[in-house]
């Protein structure tokens, strides 16, 4: 294949230093449709050199206002190019077009949101009394490294690169193996809008090879990682080597949804949410509502409604109109999810929908039918572990206290939700859920304007919201003894 997608280092597109090219597979057809160059440790070092040099180059002369306007310009370019990018995105990832388009819009909004904050950073002065003057400068961290997963590549790229650039840092980004093309296509828009050389560098390649190089280097002054708990632990160990600040670690989740509506007439919302938890991104979301704790009197009616919704879900390749659920991202991940379905059956959960390949998609593509297990309990692996696919579990409960205890009984603490029209229940549950983000009466509501991040093994730090940009800065105190 000609014209492979290349690395972007120091403002230049180039092959990796050892010439490795890797085919990119369309997960709906299992066919290679492009190639991407992979970087080596040598390339990672070149990128870090470039990012460090750029800190004192032209970039340092850009005012905060100019940095903000630049991010606005890139956002506008994302929108102008959205139709073309969405096709590439669907081809590489499998997302149906409306979901690809939605993520592109989110990416643009992250750029605008943090672009708008670029000129609102400030330090302070501290009153020490007569004879002294003290002021505090807010400075960029310096070189920041961003390691991303494959599930929301554009969203996750923009939610950390945008605040990092707005605050005046430089960035080296390592996208996930499975999905680098759309990240590189987005990077081209930054180049077209005139980002100075070295300010943004993107190196596709293997995380186990590039990750340690990028996270153990003493030049790096901020690490942003999104991915699994297992890799997150490795990154924290690497960061410990040079006491490198970890801006945020956004790790896994196993969100609970508590269904406590008044009666069965109010089940349309939660049943729609359950179907959406399987359809949206094919369930490959850290915030996926995968554990449904349902009050016992609502349990069977809820199951019936969920089955009805699941039957209406359209599974298929992005090229078919009206598709709501695409394939999983890779063969490796497909095998993993199928294995969890086997585990659920062996654990004795009641399979009430799906459980394998959907009908009508042929034998190509990593498609998994929306799968619902009922009669589950918290001892089951399918309830405890992150499956990251179109699979949900349903568990009957006798009281709100029991639902809360079960919801909190998990190593993750990213997000959870409750469905209720009782305002007292809503607020008291929000206070007691041991997570970073609660949604009331709606599924997985996240946004660039609000802080997002987890507790427990879901990670540390917050992305989004006005405070997020502060994590990309450091404070310097200046104490003056007046003569
Ligand atoms: P991984 O942890 O496998 O990979 C994440 C990134 O880390 C990839 O770019 C990977 O590279 C890289 N990596 C691999 N090894 C190392 C290493 N030793 N040092 C540094 N980086 C390394 O996660 P997945 O890509 O499988 O993503 C799924 C996980 O991400 C789920 O647990 C999900 O919940 C979580 N996630 C969390 C989000 C949040 O906001 N909380 C959002 C999205 C996902 P390579 O691709 O080459 O393996």
């Amino acid at each position: 294949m000609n014209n492979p997608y290349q690395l972007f280092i120091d403002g230049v597109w180039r092959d990796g230093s050892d010439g490795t090219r890797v085919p990119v597979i369309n997960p709906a057809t299992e066919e290679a449709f492009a190639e991407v160059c992979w970087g080596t440790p040598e390339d990672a070092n070149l990128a870090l050199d470039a990012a460090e040099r750029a800190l004192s180059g032209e970039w340092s002369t850009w005012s905060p206002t100019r940095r903000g306007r630049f991010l606005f310009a890139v956002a506008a370019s994302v929108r102008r190019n959205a139709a073309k990018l969405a096709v590439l995105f669907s081809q590489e990832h499998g997302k149906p077009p409306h979901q690809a388009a939605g993520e592109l819009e989110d990416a643009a909004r992250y750029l605008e949101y943090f672009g708008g904050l670029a000129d609102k950073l400030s330090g302070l002065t501290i009153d020490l009394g007569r004879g002294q003057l003290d002021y505090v400068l807010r400075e960029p961290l310096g070189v920041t490294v961003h390691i991303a997963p494959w599930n929301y590549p554009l969203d996750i790229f923009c939610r950390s690169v945008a605040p990092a650039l707005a605050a005046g840092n430089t960035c080296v980004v390592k996208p996930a193996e499975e999905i680098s093309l759309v990240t590189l296509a987005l990077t081209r828009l930054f180049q077209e809008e005139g980002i100075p050389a070295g300010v943004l560098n993107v190196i596709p390649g293997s995380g186990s090879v590039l990750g340690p190089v990028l996270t153990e280097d003493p030049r790096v002054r901020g690490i942003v990682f999104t991915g699994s708990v297992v890799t997150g632990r490795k990154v924290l160990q690497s960061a410990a080597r040079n006491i490198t600040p970890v801006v945020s670690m956004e790790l896994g989740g196993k969100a609970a949804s508590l269904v406590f509506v008044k009666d069965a007439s109010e089940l349309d919302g939660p049943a729609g949410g359950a179907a959406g938890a399987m359809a949206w991104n094919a369930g490959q979301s850290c915030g996926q509502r995968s554990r449904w704790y349902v009050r016992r009197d609502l349990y069977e009616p809820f199951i019936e409604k969920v089955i009805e919704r699941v039957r209406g879900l359209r599974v298929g390749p992005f090229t078919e109109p009206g598709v709501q659920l695409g394939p999983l991202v890779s063969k490796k991940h497909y095998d993993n999810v199928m294995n969890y379905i086997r585990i659920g059956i062996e654990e004795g959960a009641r399979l009430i929908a799906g459980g394998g390949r959907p009908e009508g998609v042929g034998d190509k593509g990593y498609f998994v039918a929306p799968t619902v297990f009922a009669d589950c309990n918290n001892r089951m692996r399918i309830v405890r572990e992150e499956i990251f696919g179109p699979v949900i579990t349903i568990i009957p409960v006798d009281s709100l206290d029991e639902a809360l205890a079960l919801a909190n009984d998990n190593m993750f603490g990213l997000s959870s939700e409750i469905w209720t029209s009782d305002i007292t229940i809503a607020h008291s549950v929000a206070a007691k859920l041991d997570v970073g983000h609660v949604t009331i009466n709606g599924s997985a509501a996240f946004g660039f304007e609000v802080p997002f991040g987890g507790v427990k093994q879901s990670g540390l730090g917050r992305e989004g919201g006005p405070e997020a940009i502060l994590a990309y800065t450091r404070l310097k105190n200046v104490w003056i003894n007046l003569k």
Side-chain angles (χ1 to χ4, degrees):
M1 257 169 239
N2 291 323
N3 300 326
Y5 284 72
Q6 294 174 301
L7 289 61
F8 187 63
I9 298 177
D10 205 10
V12 175
W13 295 96
R14 57 208 294 172
D15 286 3
S17 64
D18 69 358
T20 302
R21 292 175 176 197
V22 172
V24 182
I25 310 292
N26 176 338
T29 62
E30 301 183 33
E31 283 163 10
F33 68 96
E35 280 187 322
V36 65
C37 298
W38 271 22
T40 61
E42 196 184 315
D43 297 313
N45 271 309
L46 287 177
L48 292 173
D49 288 345
E52 193 179 48
R53 263 197 319 275
L55 284 171
S56 52
E58 185 199 335
W59 183 234
S60 64
T61 69
W62 282 32
S63 66
T65 306
R66 186 164 176 199
R67 297 197 298 261
R69 284 190 185 141
F70 170 76
L71 292 171
F72 269 79
V74 181
S77 174
V78 169
R79 293 209 177 87
R80 278 196 308 278
N81 289 282
K84 201 171 57 187
L85 285 172
V87 173
L88 177 69
F89 197 3
S90 293
Q91 214 176 358
E92 189 182 18
H93 188 284
K95 283 177 204 264
H98 66 288
Q99 296 181 19
E103 190 170 334
L104 278 155
E105 177 56 22
D106 284 351
R109 291 296 290 122
Y110 269 115
L111 294 164
E112 288 171 341
Y113 185 78
F114 287 110
L117 287 177
D119 59 0
K120 289 162 194 74
L121 293 170
S122 58
L124 76 161
T125 58
I126 296 175
D127 185 359
L128 296 174
R130 287 184 63 183
Q132 275 109 21
L133 170 66
D134 192 283
Y135 62 92
V136 181
L137 295 171
R138 189 173 284 286
E139 300 178 332
L141 295 173
V143 175
T144 56
V145 159
H146 307 244
I147 299 180
W150 44 261
N151 63 338
Y152 292 103
L154 300 183
D155 190 318
I156 289 168
F157 179 100
C158 289
R159 84 181 179 190
S160 72
V161 166
L165 295 181
N169 299 280
T170 58
C171 304
V172 178
V173 182
K174 210 295 285 170
E177 278 178 28
E178 292 83 352
I179 176 147
S180 319
L181 301 196
V182 74
T183 306
L184 292 165
L186 177 68
T187 304
R188 192 169 284 283
L189 306 186
F190 282 76
Q191 183 195 25
E192 284 169 5
E193 293 305 322
I195 195 159
V199 173
L200 174 63
N201 308 274
V202 182
I203 336 171
S206 156
S208 54
V209 174
L210 300 177
V213 179
L214 294 173
T215 51
E216 287 178 10
D217 193 289
R219 288 169 293 183
V220 175
R221 298 318 307 151
I223 297 174
V224 188
F225 175 79
T226 308
S228 64
V229 175
V230 173
T231 315
R233 284 197 193 103
K234 291 183 193 162
V235 171
L236 282 172
Q237 278 165 356
S238 296
R241 196 183 177 108
N242 294 300
I243 321 290
T244 305
V246 174
V247 174
S248 75
M249 287 255 136
E250 300 292 354
L251 309 178
K254 189 76 184 175
S257 186
L258 280 51
V259 181
F260 277 79
V261 293
K262 183 166 54 69
D263 56 37
S265 69
E266 293 186 349
L267 283 173
D268 282 332
M278 289 174 272
W280 195 260
N281 218 28
Q284 303 165 118
S285 302
C286 50
Q288 186 207 25
R289 275 53 182 145
S290 50
R291 301 182 287 148
W292 289 76
Y293 296 101
V294 184
R295 204 175 62 214
R296 202 169 288 275
D297 61 298
L298 302 169
Y299 187 64
E300 289 302 335
F302 178 70
I303 285 175
E304 272 172 40
K305 280 228 179 263
V306 172
I307 294 175
E308 200 181 295
R309 294 288 184 132
V310 168
R311 280 203 199 105
L313 284 179
R314 185 115 190 247
V315 189
F318 80 96
T319 42
E320 276 180 21
V323 159
Q324 292 153 297
L325 202 171
L328 299 187
V329 75
S330 67
K331 170 80 167 74
K332 185 171 132 209
H333 190 51
Y334 171 84
D335 290 342
N336 200 24
V337 172
M338 285 297 199
N339 190 40
Y340 269 113
I341 292 173
R342 266 191 299 279
I343 290 171
I345 294 167
E346 282 162 20
E347 286 179 317
R350 174 162 57 115
L351 182 65
I352 57 172
R357 283 186 73 78
E359 285 172 16
V361 294
D363 57 2
K364 287 280 179 211
Y366 311 129
F367 296 99
V368 174
T371 297
V372 184
F373 284 111
D375 302 352
C376 299
N377 63 61
N378 265 32
R379 291 182 302 281
M380 294 176 173
R381 284 184 62 193
I382 54 166
V383 177
R384 305 197 71 77
E385 297 172 17
E386 193 178 32
I387 299 175
F388 227 54
V391 182
I392 62 164
T393 57
I394 312 183
I395 299 124
V397 288
D398 290 310
S399 68
L400 197 52
D401 283 346
E402 183 190 2
L404 267 168
L406 293 173
N408 286 337
D409 169 33
N410 196 272
M411 69 178 233
F412 294 113
L414 185 59
S415 57
S416 279
E417 70 191 14
I418 175 153
W419 296 83
T420 177
S421 44
D422 182 321
I423 196 164
T424 307
I425 289 181
H427 288 297
S428 76
V429 167
K432 290 175 187 161
L433 282 169
D434 196 11
V435 294
H437 189 98
V438 176
T439 307
I440 295 168
N441 292 326
S443 271
F446 306 118
F448 45 85
E449 319 90 328
V450 298
F452 175 71
V455 299
K456 300 195 275 187
Q457 293 191 38
S458 286
L460 46 93
R462 293 292 179 269
E463 310 260 15
E467 289 83 15
I469 194 170
L470 301 181
Y472 294 85
T473 65
R474 62 184 189 187
L475 298 180
K476 180 187 282 171
N477 192 70
V478 182
W479 176 305
I480 303 168
N481 291 316
L482 299 169
K483 293 212 169 154

